[in-house]
Amino acid sequence: MKVVIQRCKQAQVKVQDEIVGAIGPGLMLLVGITHDDTEKDAVYLADKISGLRIFEDDNEKMNLSVQDMAGSILSVSQFTLYGDCRKGKRPNFMAAAKPETAEVLYERFNELLRAKGLEVQTGQFGADMDVELTNWGPVTIILESPQP
């Protein structure tokens, strides 16, 4: 699994001009899933992201996690994270998991985050979505789960 994490002041996702998920301060996640990913990868990333200390404390040091600051998460599925652009000019998405497999693991990943007490809003899996956010910092980090 690969996740692009953006610390945000606010974020929302729309499907056909209707807001389907919105948060205030917290994390905007773009979540990509590949063929070999399992629940073990989802558990690893949910744990890592929920405790990732990228929010500033009173001393302006990145010492607080999204849990510490009672922030929310907007999680959006993003198969294009596995686009391979090394050959030609059009991305190859062969490394992205099939939708029926990816959706199950994506939903499980979100459940794992919720089980940590986090509010998790989502987009709509497989839909054409418009994503808006105010990146705070800006802070953007890419995490990948370890492969066995």
Side-chain angles (χ1 to χ4, degrees), residues 1 29 38-51 67 73 75 104-120 122:
M1 288 178 73
L29 307 180
T38 66
E39 182 163 348
K40 183 177 176 183
D41 297 290
V43 168
Y44 170 82
L45 284 171
D47 185 56
K48 185 68 112 173
I49 290 166
S50 64
Q67 288 178 311
I73 290 178
S75 174
V104 171
L105 194 53
Y106 168 70
E107 293 298 338
R108 180 65 181 136
F109 170 71
N110 293 325
E111 289 172 13
L112 290 163
L113 289 168
R114 288 184 185 109
K116 294 182 177 295
L118 291 163
E119 176 195 356
V120 179
T122 65

Side-chain angles (χ1 to χ4, degrees), residues 1-140:
M1 288 178 73
K2 186 183 298 186
V3 181
V4 176
I5 303 160
Q6 296 179 80
R7 186 178 74 176
C8 65
K9 291 187 177 181
Q10 64 78 36
Q12 69 178 17
V13 60
K14 295 179 182 177
V15 175
Q16 296 179 345
D17 293 322
E18 180 181 331
I19 296 172
V20 297
I23 63 167
L27 300 175
M28 168 70 210
L29 307 180
L30 301 174
V31 182
I33 298 169
T34 191
H35 303 288
D36 297 335
D37 290 335
T38 66
E39 182 163 348
K40 183 177 176 183
D41 297 290
V43 168
Y44 170 82
L45 284 171
D47 185 56
K48 185 68 112 173
I49 290 166
S50 64
L52 195 61
R53 298 184 312 165
I54 59 173
F55 294 91
E56 294 178 354
D57 63 16
D58 293 337
N59 297 318
E60 298 182 358
K61 301 286 183 196
M62 285 187 177
N63 279 325
L64 302 176
S65 70
V66 68
Q67 288 178 311
D68 296 331
M69 51 91 59
S72 302
I73 290 178
L74 178 59
S75 174
V76 176
S77 61
Q78 183 87 48
F79 79 93
T80 60
L81 289 178
Y82 281 101
D84 184 350
C85 299
R86 292 177 291 180
K87 293 183 182 178
K89 305 256 184 196
R90 184 174 46 193
N92 172 329
F93 298 107
M94 298 300 292
K98 300 272 188 232
E100 56 275 7
T101 303
E103 185 173 13
V104 171
L105 194 53
Y106 168 70
E107 293 298 338
R108 180 65 181 136
F109 170 71
N110 293 325
E111 289 172 13
L112 290 163
L113 289 168
R114 288 184 185 109
K116 294 182 177 295
L118 291 163
E119 176 195 356
V120 179
Q121 297 283 314
T122 65
Q124 182 179 328
F125 188 91
D128 186 16
M129 296 176 273
D130 296 328
V131 180
E132 301 174 19
L133 79 143
T134 303
N135 191 317
W136 183 4
V139 174
T140 302

